[in-house]
Amino acid sequence: MLSAARKHLGSLDKVTKVVRLGVYIVTEGDFFAQPKVADAASELFSDVFGEDKLSVRIVLGVASLPLGMPVELEVTLEVEA
């Protein structure tokens, strides 16, 4: 996602805020630590953009994801005009 954003924007410096971070994790029904798993994504975005540029995060455990992926990130970025 970061590579795609950099390619599209020309530079990640144009990102002014991470508006929304959605983390979808394939888990069994008795696993309840999805937020701990998603912390790695939050930490990465915090390291790249700064802690003050993070906004809303949603974390969900799901039964399956497309193409058998174990984790999917949905990210909405605010960029400068």
Side-chain angles (χ1 to χ4, degrees):
M1 180 265 136
L2 292 173
S3 177
R6 183 177 57 225
K7 182 177 180 181
H8 180 75
L9 298 171
S11 171
L12 292 177
D13 293 335
K14 294 180 179 180
V15 175
T16 57
K17 186 177 185 179
V18 178
V19 176
R20 182 179 189 275
L21 172 60
V23 184
Y24 304 90
I25 305 163
V26 175
T27 61
E28 296 293 325
D30 61 346
F31 182 78
F32 302 105
Q34 292 91 343
K36 289 183 182 180
V37 174
D39 284 348
S42 295
E43 290 172 14
L44 174 64
F45 283 97
S46 179
D47 290 347
V48 171
F49 298 114
E51 190 173 324
D52 61 321
K53 293 188 179 179
L54 298 179
S55 188
V56 176
R57 178 178 95 164
I58 184 170
V59 181
L60 296 172
V62 297
S64 67
L65 288 168
L67 303 175
M69 299 300 289
V71 177
E72 180 177 308
L73 298 180
E74 177 187 347
V75 183
T76 304
L77 301 173
E78 177 182 272
V79 296
E80 62 187 28

